[in-house]
Amino acid sequence: MTQDFYRPGTSLIHRWNPVTTLSLSLTLVVTAFASQALWLPAALLVFVVFPAALVSGVFRRLLAWLARFLLPVILLLFVIQGLYHQDGPLLDLGPVGVHLDGVLFATRTALRLLVLTGAFLLLLFTTHPGELMTALVAHGMPPKISYLVSATMQIVPAFRQRAHSILDAQRARGLRTAAGPIGRVRALVPLVGPLVLGALSEVDERAVAMEARAFGATTRRTSYTVIADSAAQRVSRWSMLVITIAVIVLSATGVIR
Amino acid sequence: MRPAAKIAAGTVVVLATYVYLVLERPGASGTGALVALAGYLLGSVLIGLGAVDRLSTSSVTLIPVAMAINIVVGQLALATGIPLYLDSIGIVIAGVLAGPAAGAATGVLTCVIWGLTANPTIMPFAVTAAEIGVAAGLIGMLGGFRKPWWAALAGLLTGVVSALVSAPISAFVYGGVTTSAGTTAITGAFQAYGASLFAATTLQGLLSDPLDKTVTFTVAFVILLALPARFRQRFAFARRYRVFATGVGSEGR
């Protein structure tokens, strides 16, 4: 289930500093949610997210993953909001009816979700998680967060491997793993127990080893890898921050509707 | 800013967002969505940053394991098709062993990692995960993890709070729809009976979250009970607040 969203590439967006791509994603999301107008999220999708995906060569994967994450959600959205919304029906079908308000609401929510998910997928497709963490630490994020994220992403595959070996071991001892919902829950017990206890017992040694390597030091560290940045990107990041704040303020004060 | 001030500021932002949404009743189409999204995002970033600052090295080594437990057990639960999420067992374990800050950090970062590796649509719910971690820590402080029935009851209450906290995101960002047709139909049914979208997602959450968190807290209690007492007592938080029952199984103190 865990995906490696990132594929190496040489496009303009791949070469951006990860923080620039992250700022773009956040600005897109905030702007998409700022207005009731349907054209705004639609325009962001067609004129920013899709062209950016085309430029970085991830357009087809973006569409495939958007469909995978959002198609069921959007279908349900239209069924539920289209039918259940209050006010007069657009189309009366006996017990149920299609309501204009509901359809508008569903369209708006669907477009916003497409921008939200599309903007983040764009970030994940073009940015290696490790580089994102390194770049964020260079911009002042505590290095502890970078360690926590990177360590977890390394632990999970090992953990899943261990879950498989425990499952095999329990099967060898006669555990039955496929027999109805109750049987499946019961099969979880001899699996989760050894898995969790084994993992927790390793915590101790690691703490001592890390303390010995000055993990708790509070001085600012230098980085082994340096992530490229440019004056143009710095300017664009600051302007995106200003746009984001302006959009939030204008929307909260009712200037944008 | 000091860590405690960041956590306090984050909590105030989240509460203010929630109170604004309840009192002002903005439509889900207009400012409601932006306020819910921006308020919760800012709140969870502040809480996460403040919580991480407070962590000791032993907590820092516990948290990746706790997050791996969340992810792997959550996926196992999903694979077995049981109608529970069970994706916050690690958050509860971290909160109870190492305190509310460790629980909050585990919660926020689990959502970030889920977002980075499996499904980016989960990220707006980071505040709920932080709330579960903080609740687990506070309940540990109050002695709620000394007896199984107290742990189960605490899980029930935490589930009620989770339902309230996540309702604005479900309503204003996702329009009341989840990937599960069952919960979506329930939300829709509440709306058909005249509830607003916000009220409908709150009610739907109140039907599913308390059960899930009761089971989660009970499972976490059993796991913690099975841990060697020497390991449990290694955490300064668990020692200081005497989180675990003394007597059977605590001979290592």
Side-chain angles (χ1 to χ4, degrees), chain A residues 1-5 65 68 152-153 156-157 160, chain B residues 71-72 75 113-114 116-119:
Chain A
M1 177 118 173
T2 307
Q3 313 298 332
D4 265 331
F5 286 118
W65 280 97
R68 183 167 165 180
T152 309
M153 291 176 54
V156 169
R160 197 168 291 128
Chain B
I71 291 170
V72 174
Q75 285 175 355
I113 290 171
W114 264 112
L116 288 176
T117 59
N119 185 349

Side-chain angles (χ1 to χ4, degrees), chain A residues 95-167:
Chain A
V96 290
V98 178
H99 298 255
L100 180 61
D101 271 13
V103 172
L104 276 179
F105 176 78
T107 312
R108 186 181 300 119
T109 308
L111 285 170
R112 285 172 173 177
L113 286 177
L114 282 169
V115 176
L116 174 87
T117 314
F120 272 104
L121 282 175
L122 188 67
L123 170 72
L124 298 182
F125 286 157
T126 57
T127 314
H128 189 274
E131 286 191 0
L132 176 63
M133 287 299 139
T134 313
L136 283 171
V137 170
H139 282 83
M141 186 182 80
K144 270 183 196 169
I145 294 183
S146 165
Y147 168 78
L148 289 171
V149 172
S150 315
T152 309
M153 291 176 54
Q154 284 169 13
I155 286 179
V156 169
F159 213 73
R160 197 168 291 128
Q161 187 67 45
R162 194 201 300 241
H164 276 293
S165 4
I166 294 173
L167 194 62

Side-chain angles (χ1 to χ4, degrees), chain A residues 2-241:
Chain A
T2 307
Q3 313 298 332
D4 265 331
F5 286 118
Y6 174 69
R7 294 277 188 289
T10 51
S11 77
L12 179 69
I13 298 179
H14 279 89
R15 280 180 280 131
W16 275 357
N17 186 301
V19 182
T20 311
T21 324
L22 177 66
S23 314
L24 176 66
S25 298
L26 290 174
T27 310
L28 283 171
V29 172
V30 167
T31 317
F33 277 83
S35 161
Q36 294 193 35
L38 291 179
W39 63 265
L40 184 65
L44 291 175
L45 204 60
V46 174
F47 294 115
V48 185
V49 177
F50 287 168
L54 280 171
V55 166
S56 45
V58 297
F59 187 61
R60 290 183 62 170
R61 282 180 67 217
L62 183 78
L63 289 186
W65 280 97
L66 279 179
R68 183 167 165 180
F69 285 133
L70 292 181
L71 203 57
V73 173
I74 288 174
L75 287 177
L76 279 170
L77 193 64
F78 275 96
V79 172
I80 299 287
Q81 295 305 336
L83 297 184
Y84 282 124
H85 226 76
Q86 287 129 23
D87 308 326
L90 188 70
L91 185 70
D92 213 340
L93 303 170
V96 290
V98 178
H99 298 255
L100 180 61
D101 271 13
V103 172
L104 276 179
F105 176 78
T107 312
R108 186 181 300 119
T109 308
L111 285 170
R112 285 172 173 177
L113 286 177
L114 282 169
V115 176
L116 174 87
T117 314
F120 272 104
L121 282 175
L122 188 67
L123 170 72
L124 298 182
F125 286 157
T126 57
T127 314
H128 189 274
E131 286 191 0
L132 176 63
M133 287 299 139
T134 313
L136 283 171
V137 170
H139 282 83
M141 186 182 80
K144 270 183 196 169
I145 294 183
S146 165
Y147 168 78
L148 289 171
V149 172
S150 315
T152 309
M153 291 176 54
Q154 284 169 13
I155 286 179
V156 169
F159 213 73
R160 197 168 291 128
Q161 187 67 45
R162 194 201 300 241
H164 276 293
S165 4
I166 294 173
L167 194 62
D168 287 344
Q170 301 285 26
R171 275 189 186 138
R173 297 169 65 192
L175 174 81
R176 283 200 281 177
T177 44
I182 299 166
R184 276 184 252 160
V185 175
R186 203 174 291 161
L188 273 182
V189 177
L191 178 61
V192 171
L195 182 67
V196 170
L197 297 180
L200 285 174
S201 62
E202 284 172 10
V203 167
D204 264 1
E205 302 161 23
R206 207 173 295 134
V208 175
M210 282 168 55
E211 218 26 273
R213 286 162 182 75
F215 182 78
T218 48
T219 49
R220 197 180 168 107
R221 279 156 237 207
T222 53
S223 177
Y224 179 67
T225 45
V226 178
I227 311 267
D229 203 358
S230 64
Q233 288 189 51
R234 265 192 291 278
V235 172
S236 68
R237 282 199 300 267
W238 279 107
S239 27
M240 284 192 278
L241 182 68

